[in-house]
Amino acid sequence: MDKPYKIGLSLSGGGARGIAHIGALAAFEEHGIRPAIISGTSMGALVGVFYAAGYPPAQILQLVKETSMLKVFKWQIPSSGLFHLDIIRKILAEKIKVDDFSSLKIPFCCAVSNLNSGQVEIKSEGPLFDWVVASASIPVIFEPQQIGGQTYVDGGLFDNLPAAAIRDKAKMLIGIHVNHNGYQEQVKGFKEVAERTFQLSVAQNVKESISLCDMVITPPNIGQFHTFDFRSADQIFQVGYDETERKLIKLFDLLGDKFK
Protein backbone atom coordinates (compact mmCIF):
# COMPACT_ATOMS: atom_id res chain seq x y z
CA MET A 1 0.00 0.00 0.00
CA ASP A 2 1.32 3.43 -0.97
CA LYS A 3 2.16 5.65 1.99
CA PRO A 4 0.03 8.80 1.73
CA TYR A 5 2.40 11.33 3.35
CA LYS A 6 5.83 12.39 2.14
CA ILE A 7 7.51 13.28 5.45
CA GLY A 8 6.45 12.13 8.90
CA LEU A 9 7.84 13.56 12.13
CA SER A 10 7.83 11.82 15.51
CA LEU A 11 8.60 13.93 18.59
CA SER A 12 9.69 12.39 21.89
CA GLY A 13 8.87 13.39 25.43
CA GLY A 14 11.48 15.06 27.61
CA GLY A 15 9.90 17.95 29.49
CA ALA A 16 11.64 21.28 28.88
CA ARG A 17 14.14 19.49 26.64
CA GLY A 18 11.25 19.17 24.19
CA ILE A 19 11.75 22.86 23.39
CA ALA A 20 14.54 21.51 21.17
CA HIS A 21 11.76 20.21 18.91
CA ILE A 22 10.80 23.82 18.24
CA GLY A 23 14.37 24.62 17.20
CA ALA A 24 14.38 21.63 14.86
CA LEU A 25 11.10 22.74 13.28
CA ALA A 26 12.55 26.23 12.76
CA ALA A 27 15.55 24.77 10.95
CA PHE A 28 13.29 22.58 8.82
CA GLU A 29 11.14 25.53 7.80
CA GLU A 30 14.15 27.63 6.82
CA HIS A 31 15.10 24.92 4.34
CA GLY A 32 11.64 24.18 3.03
CA ILE A 33 11.17 20.90 4.91
CA ARG A 34 7.60 20.53 6.17
CA PRO A 35 6.28 17.39 7.85
CA ALA A 36 2.97 16.20 6.45
CA ILE A 37 2.02 14.09 9.49
CA ILE A 38 3.17 14.34 13.13
CA SER A 39 3.15 12.07 16.17
CA GLY A 40 4.23 13.07 19.65
CA THR A 41 4.48 12.10 23.28
CA SER A 42 4.35 14.44 26.29
CA MET A 43 6.22 17.67 25.44
CA GLY A 44 6.54 16.31 21.92
CA ALA A 45 2.74 16.11 21.81
CA LEU A 46 2.42 19.70 23.02
CA VAL A 47 4.88 21.08 20.47
CA GLY A 48 3.43 18.83 17.78
CA VAL A 49 -0.18 19.84 18.35
CA PHE A 50 0.56 23.56 18.14
CA TYR A 51 2.58 23.09 14.97
CA ALA A 52 -0.18 20.91 13.52
CA ALA A 53 -2.64 23.69 14.40
CA GLY A 54 -0.70 26.09 12.19
CA TYR A 55 1.53 27.93 14.68
CA PRO A 56 5.04 28.66 13.32
CA PRO A 57 8.03 27.67 15.49
CA ALA A 58 8.75 31.25 16.61
CA GLN A 59 5.21 31.61 17.97
CA ILE A 60 5.35 28.25 19.74
CA LEU A 61 8.60 29.29 21.45
CA GLN A 62 7.07 32.61 22.45
CA LEU A 63 4.02 30.80 23.80
CA VAL A 64 6.22 28.61 26.01
CA LYS A 65 8.09 31.65 27.31
CA GLU A 66 5.15 33.99 27.81
CA THR A 67 2.88 31.54 29.58
CA SER A 68 5.75 30.38 31.81
CA MET A 69 5.38 26.63 31.87
CA LEU A 70 6.63 26.73 35.44
CA LYS A 71 3.16 27.93 36.40
CA VAL A 72 1.99 24.42 35.58
CA PHE A 73 3.45 23.28 38.89
CA LYS A 74 0.63 24.43 41.12
CA TRP A 75 1.05 22.74 44.46
CA GLN A 76 -1.73 20.56 45.76
CA ILE A 77 -2.13 17.97 48.48
CA PRO A 78 -0.34 14.82 47.25
CA SER A 79 -2.77 12.15 46.08
CA SER A 80 -1.98 10.35 42.86
CA GLY A 81 0.21 13.24 41.69
CA LEU A 82 1.78 16.38 43.07
CA PHE A 83 0.73 18.82 40.34
CA HIS A 84 -2.13 19.19 37.93
CA LEU A 85 -2.24 20.40 34.33
CA ASP A 86 -5.17 22.83 34.31
CA ILE A 87 -3.00 25.58 32.82
CA ILE A 88 -2.03 23.37 29.89
CA ARG A 89 -5.68 22.64 29.20
CA LYS A 90 -6.48 26.38 29.39
CA ILE A 91 -3.69 27.25 26.94
CA LEU A 92 -4.88 24.60 24.50
CA ALA A 93 -8.43 25.94 24.66
CA GLU A 94 -7.27 29.53 24.13
CA LYS A 95 -4.98 28.80 21.20
CA ILE A 96 -6.82 25.98 19.41
CA LYS A 97 -10.44 26.99 19.01
CA VAL A 98 -11.96 23.60 18.17
CA ASP A 99 -11.42 20.70 20.58
CA ASP A 100 -11.09 18.02 17.91
CA PHE A 101 -8.22 16.33 16.06
CA SER A 102 -10.02 17.03 12.78
CA SER A 103 -9.60 20.80 13.28
CA LEU A 104 -5.81 20.59 12.89
CA LYS A 105 -4.11 21.62 9.66
CA ILE A 106 -1.66 18.71 9.74
CA PRO A 107 -2.67 15.16 10.72
CA PHE A 108 -1.52 14.57 14.30
CA CYS A 109 -1.62 11.80 16.87
CA CYS A 110 -0.33 11.42 20.42
CA ALA A 111 0.61 8.51 22.64
CA VAL A 112 -1.02 7.97 26.04
CA SER A 113 -0.51 5.22 28.59
CA ASN A 114 -3.59 3.41 29.94
CA LEU A 115 -2.86 2.36 33.53
CA ASN A 116 -5.90 0.06 33.62
CA SER A 117 -4.88 -2.04 30.62
CA GLY A 118 -1.15 -1.49 30.94
CA GLN A 119 -1.00 -0.61 27.23
CA VAL A 120 -0.07 2.36 25.07
CA GLU A 121 -2.87 3.93 23.06
CA ILE A 122 -2.49 6.20 20.04
CA LYS A 123 -5.12 8.92 19.78
CA SER A 124 -5.82 10.66 16.48
CA GLU A 125 -9.53 11.46 16.36
CA GLY A 126 -12.31 12.93 18.47
CA PRO A 127 -11.81 15.39 21.38
CA LEU A 128 -8.24 16.70 21.34
CA PHE A 129 -7.41 18.51 24.57
CA ASP A 130 -7.95 15.65 27.04
CA TRP A 131 -5.61 13.36 25.14
CA VAL A 132 -2.84 15.92 24.76
CA VAL A 133 -2.99 16.69 28.49
CA ALA A 134 -2.98 12.96 29.29
CA SER A 135 0.06 12.47 27.06
CA ALA A 136 1.95 15.03 29.17
CA SER A 137 0.93 13.68 32.60
CA ILE A 138 4.25 12.40 33.95
CA PRO A 139 3.44 9.70 36.54
CA VAL A 140 3.74 10.69 40.23
CA ILE A 141 4.65 14.28 39.33
CA PHE A 142 1.32 15.08 37.62
CA GLU A 143 -2.21 13.98 38.35
CA PRO A 144 -3.31 11.17 36.00
CA GLN A 145 -6.22 11.94 33.69
CA GLN A 146 -9.55 10.15 34.03
CA ILE A 147 -11.10 9.70 30.58
CA GLY A 148 -14.00 7.38 29.79
CA GLY A 149 -13.63 5.55 33.10
CA GLN A 150 -9.95 4.77 32.45
CA THR A 151 -6.80 6.24 34.02
CA TYR A 152 -4.19 7.70 31.68
CA VAL A 153 -0.68 9.06 32.15
CA ASP A 154 2.26 10.20 30.03
CA GLY A 155 2.59 8.23 26.79
CA GLY A 156 6.33 7.99 27.39
CA LEU A 157 5.76 5.26 29.94
CA PHE A 158 5.23 2.83 27.06
CA ASP A 159 6.09 4.78 23.89
CA ASN A 160 8.31 7.84 24.30
CA LEU A 161 8.95 8.19 20.56
CA PRO A 162 5.73 7.12 18.78
CA ALA A 163 7.29 6.30 15.43
CA ALA A 164 5.24 3.13 14.89
CA ALA A 165 2.06 5.22 14.98
CA ILE A 166 2.88 6.84 11.63
CA ARG A 167 5.54 4.57 10.11
CA ASP A 168 3.08 3.01 7.66
CA LYS A 169 1.76 6.44 6.63
CA ALA A 170 5.00 8.30 5.82
CA LYS A 171 7.41 7.65 2.98
CA MET A 172 10.20 9.14 5.10
CA LEU A 173 10.09 9.24 8.90
CA ILE A 174 12.21 11.60 11.00
CA GLY A 175 12.42 11.13 14.76
CA ILE A 176 13.62 13.73 17.26
CA HIS A 177 14.68 12.23 20.58
CA VAL A 178 15.42 14.56 23.50
CA ASN A 179 15.02 12.37 26.58
CA HIS A 180 18.51 12.28 28.12
CA ASN A 181 19.40 8.99 29.78
CA GLY A 182 23.12 9.38 30.41
CA TYR A 183 25.00 9.72 33.66
CA GLN A 184 23.59 12.28 36.10
CA GLU A 185 25.93 13.67 38.75
CA GLN A 186 23.31 14.29 41.46
CA VAL A 187 19.81 12.97 42.06
CA LYS A 188 18.27 14.42 45.18
CA GLY A 189 14.85 15.57 46.31
CA PHE A 190 11.47 14.04 45.58
CA LYS A 191 10.95 15.72 42.20
CA GLU A 192 14.44 14.85 40.89
CA VAL A 193 14.13 11.22 41.99
CA ALA A 194 10.70 10.91 40.36
CA GLU A 195 11.95 12.58 37.17
CA ARG A 196 15.07 10.41 36.93
CA THR A 197 13.14 7.21 37.64
CA PHE A 198 10.71 7.98 34.84
CA GLN A 199 13.53 8.85 32.41
CA LEU A 200 15.24 5.53 32.99
CA SER A 201 12.01 3.56 32.82
CA VAL A 202 11.22 4.85 29.32
CA ALA A 203 14.74 4.45 27.93
CA GLN A 204 14.22 0.92 26.63
CA ASN A 205 11.00 1.56 24.73
CA VAL A 206 12.73 4.13 22.52
CA LYS A 207 15.19 1.66 20.97
CA GLU A 208 12.65 -0.05 18.73
CA SER A 209 11.14 3.30 17.75
CA ILE A 210 14.54 4.62 16.67
CA SER A 211 14.99 1.59 14.43
CA LEU A 212 11.76 2.48 12.61
CA CYS A 213 12.96 5.96 11.66
CA ASP A 214 14.86 6.81 8.50
CA MET A 215 16.70 9.47 10.47
CA VAL A 216 16.88 10.41 14.15
CA ILE A 217 18.02 13.75 15.52
CA THR A 218 19.35 13.52 19.08
CA PRO A 219 20.89 16.83 20.21
CA PRO A 220 24.18 15.85 21.93
CA ASN A 221 24.14 18.66 24.49
CA ILE A 222 20.54 18.22 25.58
CA GLY A 223 21.53 16.41 28.77
CA GLN A 224 22.70 19.63 30.43
CA PHE A 225 19.05 20.66 30.78
CA HIS A 226 16.59 19.21 33.27
CA THR A 227 12.99 18.17 32.65
CA PHE A 228 11.66 21.36 34.30
CA ASP A 229 14.32 23.77 33.01
CA PHE A 230 11.86 26.02 31.14
CA ARG A 231 13.86 29.10 32.12
CA SER A 232 16.47 27.93 29.59
CA ALA A 233 13.99 27.94 26.71
CA ASP A 234 16.15 30.01 24.35
CA GLN A 235 19.23 27.87 24.91
CA ILE A 236 17.30 24.61 24.48
CA PHE A 237 15.70 25.94 21.28
CA GLN A 238 19.18 26.76 19.94
CA VAL A 239 20.52 23.28 20.75
CA GLY A 240 17.71 21.73 18.71
CA TYR A 241 18.19 24.20 15.87
CA ASP A 242 21.97 23.72 15.69
CA GLU A 243 21.84 19.92 15.70
CA THR A 244 19.20 19.91 12.96
CA GLU A 245 21.34 22.27 10.88
CA ARG A 246 24.27 19.86 11.28
CA LYS A 247 22.12 17.00 10.02
CA LEU A 248 20.77 18.80 6.94
CA ILE A 249 23.26 17.40 4.42
CA LYS A 250 22.42 13.87 5.49
CA LEU A 251 18.73 14.72 5.53
CA PHE A 252 18.74 16.10 1.98
CA ASP A 253 20.68 13.04 0.82
CA LEU A 254 18.00 10.79 2.33
CA LEU A 255 15.24 12.88 0.81
CA GLY A 256 16.93 12.59 -2.55
CA ASP A 257 17.15 8.82 -2.24
CA LYS A 258 13.53 8.51 -1.13
CA PHE A 259 11.98 10.77 -3.74
CA LYS A 260 14.28 10.69 -6.77
Side-chain angles (χ1 to χ4, degrees):
M1 184 181 296
D2 188 38
K3 297 177 180 179
Y5 301 103
K6 183 176 179 180
I7 299 175
L9 181 65
S10 185
L11 304 175
S12 81
R17 291 185 293 272
I19 297 169
H21 296 319
I22 310 174
L25 286 166
F28 286 157
E29 287 208 344
E30 286 182 10
H31 296 275
I33 300 169
R34 295 183 182 275
I37 186 170
I38 300 171
S39 65
T41 293
S42 201
M43 190 64 178
L46 288 169
V47 172
V49 76
F50 284 116
Y51 191 76
Y55 286 88
Q59 286 189 25
I60 301 173
L61 177 62
Q62 198 61 30
L63 176 64
V64 170
K65 294 164 65 175
E66 287 181 352
T67 57
S68 180
M69 299 292 279
L70 290 173
K71 293 178 183 176
V72 167
F73 309 131
K74 184 177 179 181
W75 186 263
Q76 62 185 53
I77 298 173
S79 54
S80 50
L82 288 179
F83 305 100
H84 60 72
L85 292 169
D86 290 350
I87 290 177
I88 294 296
R89 192 184 305 277
K90 181 180 178 182
I91 294 169
L92 288 167
E94 288 176 352
K95 301 300 180 180
I96 303 174
K97 299 306 180 185
V98 180
D99 182 14
D100 198 285
F101 281 88
S102 65
S103 71
L104 301 174
K105 297 179 179 180
I106 299 173
F108 166 79
C109 63
C110 62
V112 294
S113 298
N114 185 323
L115 291 185
N116 298 90
S117 67
Q119 301 292 322
V120 66
E121 296 179 13
I122 303 298
K123 301 299 179 181
S124 62
E125 58 184 25
L128 175 65
F129 303 156
D130 282 350
W131 295 121
V132 173
V133 171
S135 185
S137 299
I138 300 173
V140 181
I141 292 176
F142 293 117
E143 284 272 58
Q145 303 301 303
Q146 302 295 325
I147 306 173
Q150 301 287 289
T151 302
Y152 292 92
V153 295
D154 194 308
L157 182 63
F158 299 126
D159 192 358
N160 200 46
L161 183 67
I166 57 173
R167 174 66 279 184
D168 64 345
K169 298 177 178 67
K171 294 179 176 70
M172 178 173 176
L173 181 57
I174 303 169
I176 305 180
H177 179 230
V178 299
N179 192 49
H180 174 66
N181 297 307
Y183 180 79
Q184 188 166 319
E185 187 67 33
Q186 291 186 333
V187 183
K188 57 183 180 181
F190 179 85
K191 185 161 66 68
E192 283 194 18
V193 171
E195 172 192 352
R196 181 63 170 166
T197 300
F198 184 66
Q199 283 180 1
L200 295 175
S201 71
V202 305
Q204 295 303 311
N205 72 51
V206 172
K207 292 182 178 179
E208 183 177 351
S209 297
I210 287 175
S211 71
L212 295 175
C213 297
D214 296 295
M215 178 179 182
V216 178
I217 297 171
T218 305
N221 299 320
I222 203 69
Q224 65 185 294
F225 304 104
H226 295 290
T227 299
F228 307 112
D229 198 3
F230 288 97
R231 293 186 181 90
S232 300
D234 287 323
Q235 297 96 307
I236 299 171
F237 172 93
Q238 196 64 44
V239 166
Y241 178 90
D242 291 344
E243 180 62 13
T244 303
E245 284 281 315
R246 282 193 287 270
K247 291 288 184 70
L248 281 173
I249 293 177
K250 179 181 178 182
L251 178 54
F252 280 120
D253 285 344
L254 286 171
L255 286 170
D257 290 340
K258 287 281 183 182
F259 306 112
K260 62 185 177 182

